[in-house]
Amino acid sequence: MEREKKMRKKTALKRLAAYLSALVTILALFGCVSGERGTIDEGWLPALYEVQEGFHFALGEDGRTEKVKSGDWDNYVLCLNEQGNIPEQVKIRFPAEESHLIGAVDGEGNVLGRWETGEGTWKTEIPDGTVQLHVSVSAAEQEDIDIHVKGRQKECENTPLKGKNLSVIADSVSAYGGYIPKECIPYYSKYDGRNVDVTDMWWYRTARQFGMNLCEVNASGSSGVTHLEIDGFSDEYYEKRPELLRKENQEPDVIFSWLGGNDSLRGVSREVSPPGQSSHSAPRQASGAPA
């Protein structure tokens, strides 16, 4: 029974992704789509990564890699199959004067490459067989770190959306742990046993189908258009939420807003959130991107 329930949830999520892709297709058609298949730009693309909080990897006194628990460091994981291209190179700009460890591992956890670097821009070829890259990032630089990958192109729809930066402001249906700001509450996770991968999320599939770069996914469980009394968020969070739609050196060109479900469940009337006063309109004011 439980297995059937999990399968139904995953099927529903995939249907949701299909619906969103269809919606974007319709929007793109109004933008004079050529109807042909194209490829994502072969240059450097912003990397998609998972943030694993509270630990990082460092070199021990014996020269071996050690897992170190720390509230001042996080482990950033780049899964190569999740990127917008087929990565062959990685480039990282570290803003802080710290010693950073970067490791390349295969599907069985074997270390294929290991590098240590300080402040500044670091770049290298990715070893063949690499499945994941692990990057140690200090708390002092997490808002300003810049990670890009370069490699072979992936096929995508040839539409006006190709190459555009996509950000999302949404609630739990879009909230995937490790890929959302720390202030947000996740609903899905790689480790919750529900067999839902980040590649199943509607925003991931939409970005990959249309060759868009994922900028920020500002999605949180319990959040709404209005400040719900039981959501646990402060006024400050709602005020700065639009600012969490951008990254260092990356501004959104398109913002998808998927909010309102929690407001409806809490019985919030439409009069409480008139046009121009909700979180839907805030991102547009903050960045100038169409929502």
Side-chain angles (χ1 to χ4, degrees), residues 6-7 9-10 187-189 191-196:
K6 290 180 179 179
M7 290 300 295
K9 284 185 177 180
K10 187 169 184 179
Y187 181 71
Y188 300 103
S189 168
Y191 317 104
D192 60 12
R194 288 188 287 179
N195 198 31
V196 176

Side-chain angles (χ1 to χ4, degrees), residues 38-57:
T39 54
I40 297 175
D41 184 3
E42 61 182 339
W44 291 97
L45 298 181
L48 178 67
Y49 48 81
E50 174 191 5
V51 179
Q52 297 178 339
E53 299 181 29
F55 76 92
H56 71 115
F57 292 100

Side-chain angles (χ1 to χ4, degrees), residues 227 231-241:
H227 188 170
D231 62 10
F233 296 113
S234 64
D235 290 335
E236 181 183 4
Y237 167 75
Y238 274 93
E239 290 173 1
K240 75 173 184 177
R241 197 172 188 191

Side-chain angles (χ1 to χ4, degrees), residues 19-126:
Y19 294 152
L20 261 293
S21 293
L23 176 60
V24 175
T25 301
I26 293 172
L27 293 174
L29 284 172
F30 281 101
C32 302
V33 176
S34 67
E36 301 175 354
R37 299 288 288 180
T39 54
I40 297 175
D41 184 3
E42 61 182 339
W44 291 97
L45 298 181
L48 178 67
Y49 48 81
E50 174 191 5
V51 179
Q52 297 178 339
E53 299 181 29
F55 76 92
H56 71 115
F57 292 100
L59 291 179
E61 294 181 358
D62 58 359
R64 295 185 178 182
T65 304
E66 296 180 349
K67 183 177 180 179
V68 181
K69 291 184 178 180
S70 172
D72 298 325
W73 288 81
D74 290 336
N75 181 48
Y76 282 33
V77 183
L78 282 71
C79 295
L80 299 197
N81 68 326
E82 295 175 1
Q83 306 308 314
N85 54 17
I86 303 172
E88 296 173 336
Q89 300 178 60
V90 60
K91 179 173 62 175
I92 308 174
R93 187 182 66 81
F94 294 102
E97 295 181 5
E98 305 280 359
S99 178
H100 308 86
L101 187 67
I102 304 102
V105 299
D106 64 14
E108 298 180 353
N110 299 311
V111 178
L112 304 180
R114 189 177 62 179
W115 307 268
E116 195 171 21
T117 187
E119 181 185 11
T121 299
W122 172 88
K123 181 173 68 174
T124 192
E125 300 282 338
I126 299 174

Side-chain angles (χ1 to χ4, degrees), residues 5 7 15 26 31 42 46 59 70 75 105 120 131 135 143 153 160 162 173 177 208 210 213 224 227 232 250 270 275:
K5 188 176 180 181
M7 290 300 295
R15 287 177 178 173
I26 293 172
E42 61 182 339
L59 291 179
S70 172
N75 181 48
V105 299
V131 173
V135 184
E143 292 185 1
Q153 302 172 347
K162 189 174 73 172
V173 73
R208 295 297 168 253
F210 295 97
N213 304 317
H227 188 170
Q250 188 184 13
R270 295 194 178 194

